[in-house]
Amino acid sequence: MPRCQHLSVMASVWTKSIVNLQLFSVLLLLVLCLPFGGGQKKKENLLSEKVEQMMEWSSRRSVIRMNGDKFRRFVKAPPRNYSVIVMFTALQPQRQCSVCRQANEEYQVLANSWRYSSAFSNKLFFTVVDYDEGADVFQQLNMNSAPTFMHFPAKGKPKRADTFDLQRIGFASEQLAKWIADRTDVQIRVFRPPNYSGTIALALLVSLVGGLLYLRRNNLEFIYNKTGWAMAALCVVFAMTSGQMWNHIRGPPYAHKNPQNGQVSYIHGSSQAQFVAESHIILLLNAAITMGMVLLNEAATSKGDVGKRRIICLVGLGLVVFFFSFLLSIFRSKYHGYPYSFLIK
């Protein structure tokens, strides 16, 4: 075969090989890209359906109720480009969780403030999981107390700071809004429905005092009664030293009930927080100790019968010793490691 003819045949073979290789590369690329492109499209459709469903539920009510299946699908399972605030609670009457009802009221105020604000979007949703409707969720998260607030971010798993410190901060709507702003950068301005109970109570008190002064207008000597003013001053002191102002600012729960075993705690286990019931207990203990001190002073300064004074002295001493010991035991339970005790440990 001549040399030029041989080269022509070789060139033809190489050309066909290159064309076949290019066709094979294109087909391979299509085969590799089609599954990924289809999967991406499916993922986007699923996300769109989830967002649309959450928006529909949110349009009906500000707080979306969820059971175990809804929680796993719309909160835990990807894909998700929205944040979810979940309140785990136990609102059924048989649970007798008064704290849950109080927290739910504040949660509703916050969710309504977000739902009807101009900044409302599909980037944040408020949901609730009741223990009787989603006990499996509580078990999955190893949760044994209610109420509990958690933030599930759009990306990644919840961190420690995504669980709201209810025991230390309380569950007031304003405190929850600050926590949400810190976790999601979503600012919520809380709008509360008008509450005229405080105004009505003040008006009634002023009317009562005014009526009493009017009826006693010819004899106002009771205004100069030192004992009366001393009792009023003691009431204010007891209220302030028991933590009533802290309760007003922080809005803590009255008590805490464990939904698993039904045990109710009236004393908070940390020195950084307290329950409303705890402040009432402290108020009564301080009042009992003060009464004991008053009786001791009365026994020492009065000039009555010696036997009667001795009895008053013993009663006053018993009040001071017993209730101070009780107060010290509560202090020890909150300040762990405090070494001293008296009678009651």
Side-chain angles (χ1 to χ4, degrees):
M1 180 182 297
R3 182 178 180 82
C4 60
Q5 188 177 3
H6 176 74
L7 293 174
S8 177
V9 173
M10 293 295 294
S12 177
V13 173
W14 290 344
T15 301
K16 291 181 180 180
S17 300
I18 293 173
V19 171
N20 291 335
L21 182 61
Q22 290 176 341
L23 289 174
F24 178 75
S25 300
V26 171
L27 291 175
L28 181 62
L29 185 62
L30 288 174
V31 171
L32 292 175
C33 291
L34 279 176
F36 292 102
Q40 183 67 25
K41 186 67 175 178
K42 184 178 179 180
K43 183 177 179 180
E44 292 176 357
N45 291 337
L46 179 59
L47 177 60
S48 178
E49 291 176 2
K50 291 173 69 173
V51 173
E52 184 178 354
Q53 182 65 73
M54 293 290 284
M55 288 295 291
E56 180 183 349
W57 286 334
S58 185
S59 65
R60 296 177 185 175
R61 55 176 61 185
S62 302
V63 178
I64 304 171
R65 297 189 69 89
M66 288 193 167
N67 54 23
D69 294 335
K70 289 181 179 179
F71 176 81
R72 283 183 287 271
R73 180 182 175 188
F74 292 94
V75 179
K76 293 287 288 183
R80 183 162 52 84
N81 63 352
Y82 50 86
S83 295
V84 183
I85 306 298
V86 184
M87 180 179 75
F88 299 94
T89 185
L91 295 173
Q92 296 302 318
Q94 65 268 22
R95 300 297 173 185
Q96 299 181 356
C97 183
S98 59
V99 182
C100 296
R101 291 191 291 271
Q102 296 170 15
N104 183 60
E105 292 176 359
E106 292 293 314
Y107 192 58
Q108 292 285 346
V109 169
L110 179 61
N112 288 332
S113 300
W114 167 243
R115 173 65 184 83
Y116 298 106
S117 69
S118 58
F120 175 74
S121 68
N122 59 4
K123 298 301 181 184
L124 178 66
F125 295 99
F126 289 85
T127 66
V128 60
V129 176
D130 194 282
Y131 180 77
D132 291 283
E133 299 174 2
D136 53 336
V137 178
F138 280 73
Q139 295 174 0
Q140 180 183 351
L141 299 176
N142 294 322
M143 193 172 297
N144 56 10
S145 64
T148 299
F149 297 93
M150 286 189 65
H151 165 241
F152 291 85
K155 296 181 180 179
K157 296 182 179 180
K159 301 178 181 178
R160 184 175 182 180
D162 287 312
T163 300
F164 182 68
D165 192 353
L166 181 145
Q167 305 296 346
R168 184 176 63 88
I169 303 176
F171 48 70
S173 299
E174 291 77 9
Q175 298 296 334
L176 286 168
K178 291 180 182 179
W179 170 66
I180 292 173
D182 180 60
R183 304 311 304 166
T184 66
D185 293 329
V186 174
Q187 303 292 333
I188 303 177
R189 184 180 177 184
V190 177
F191 293 95
R192 291 184 176 275
N195 185 358
Y196 302 106
S197 59
T199 304
I200 294 175
L202 180 61
L204 289 175
L205 179 62
V206 172
S207 301
L208 180 63
V209 173
L212 180 62
L213 292 176
Y214 178 77
L215 293 175
R216 298 290 299 272
R217 61 186 181 276
N218 296 324
N219 184 13
L220 298 178
E221 293 182 359
F222 69 94
I223 296 179
Y224 304 99
N225 189 304
K226 295 181 179 180
T227 303
W229 286 110
M231 294 296 294
L234 279 176
C235 291
V236 174
V237 171
F238 291 152
M240 294 298 105
T241 56
S242 64
Q244 293 296 331
M245 185 57 67
W246 192 93
N247 294 340
H248 179 73
I249 295 173
R250 298 284 189 170
Y254 186 81
H256 175 72
K257 183 176 182 179
N258 191 321
Q260 299 288 343
N261 53 28
Q263 183 177 0
V264 180
S265 300
Y266 298 101
I267 305 296
H268 197 283
S270 170
S271 61
Q272 302 298 319
Q274 70 176 16
F275 298 131
V276 175
E278 181 179 337
S279 63
H280 293 167
I281 294 172
I282 299 301
L283 187 150
L284 293 176
L285 292 178
N286 286 334
I289 295 171
T290 302
M291 177 60 69
M293 296 298 295
V294 170
L295 291 178
L296 287 174
N297 180 73
E298 182 70 17
T301 57
S302 64
K303 298 181 180 180
D305 181 66
V306 176
K308 183 179 179 180
R309 291 170 59 189
R310 184 180 292 111
I311 294 174
I312 294 176
C313 178
L314 291 175
V315 172
L317 183 62
L319 288 174
V320 172
V321 170
F322 178 77
F323 288 107
F324 179 77
S325 178
F326 194 7
L327 186 65
L328 188 61
S329 68
I330 295 176
F331 185 84
R332 279 171 52 87
S333 68
K334 296 179 68 67
Y335 289 83
H336 304 286
Y338 185 76
Y340 304 108
S341 64
F342 183 62
L343 292 184
I344 302 174
K345 293 186 179 181

